[in-house]
Amino acid sequence: MDKLEKFGIQVPRECAYCGLTDETFIHLYFDCQITKDLWRRLCIRLDYPRAIQGWETEVRWVCLMAKKNLGQAEIVCSVFGMLVYIIWRERNRIRFQHGKVEAENLLKEVLMHMHIKGQTRAAWQCALQNLPVYP
């Protein structure tokens, strides 16, 4: 928000997702209950039910997953990257185009991308067979 203000762009300071507190990077990823819930639900779908922590903890966990030589671990890393992008993209849509949060659609979008990308990745095939297509 500070960068936008430096450019003379006035926008509300509260989180575009929850509106409960000032929007900061740390809040957006994953102190905000809405974005935290998105990542939690994706982790459950990926068969990794876990308590979601803040940005630093989640990045460390994903980095540990990236070191594993498994299709499932590759999927987790890819899904995390997609979610980070989608949270930012949707935040901008909500903020600048007066959109609204549609959590179910965001989950479906990430999972559909995962299954589409997985069609071209041999290492993902076995793991994808055990995962549902839609939330």
Side-chain angles (χ1 to χ4, degrees):
M1 303 313 302
D2 293 335
K3 288 182 182 180
L4 291 174
E5 287 179 355
K6 286 180 185 179
F7 292 119
I9 300 172
Q10 298 296 318
V11 293
R13 295 194 66 78
E14 62 271 352
C15 174
Y17 284 94
C18 70
L20 299 176
T21 188
D22 283 353
E23 182 180 288
T24 64
F25 181 86
I26 296 299
H27 174 74
L28 195 59
Y29 300 101
F30 294 101
D31 284 348
C32 174
Q33 194 57 47
I34 294 172
T35 60
K36 179 185 279 191
D37 189 57
L38 286 169
W39 180 225
R40 181 189 63 78
R41 290 173 67 186
L42 285 168
C43 285
I44 289 169
R45 290 305 223 178
L46 296 170
D47 204 23
Y48 290 100
R50 49 192 297 279
I52 305 304
Q53 304 298 310
W55 172 256
E56 301 255 341
T57 303
E58 294 309 305
V59 168
R60 268 195 305 274
W61 182 75
V62 170
C63 287
L64 287 172
M65 293 297 290
K67 292 178 182 178
K68 297 179 179 181
N69 192 18
L70 301 169
Q72 181 83 4
E74 285 183 28
I75 292 170
V76 169
C77 295
S78 182
V79 165
F80 183 77
M82 283 186 260
L83 180 63
V84 167
Y85 165 74
I86 284 174
I87 288 171
W88 188 254
R89 183 196 72 197
E90 289 302 301
R91 174 253 185 213
N92 288 337
R93 189 181 64 77
I94 293 164
R95 175 92 47 216
F96 300 113
Q97 298 172 355
H98 307 292
K100 63 178 182 169
V101 177
E102 296 178 8
E104 292 301 317
N105 289 341
L106 298 180
L107 290 173
K108 285 180 184 179
E109 181 179 353
V110 171
L111 293 173
M112 284 179 25
H113 278 292
M114 176 189 68
H115 281 274
I116 291 167
K117 183 175 181 176
Q119 300 304 311
T120 62
R121 310 240 346 138
W124 293 24
Q125 295 302 311
C126 183
L128 283 175
Q129 290 176 356
N130 297 319
L131 298 174
V133 177
Y134 298 109

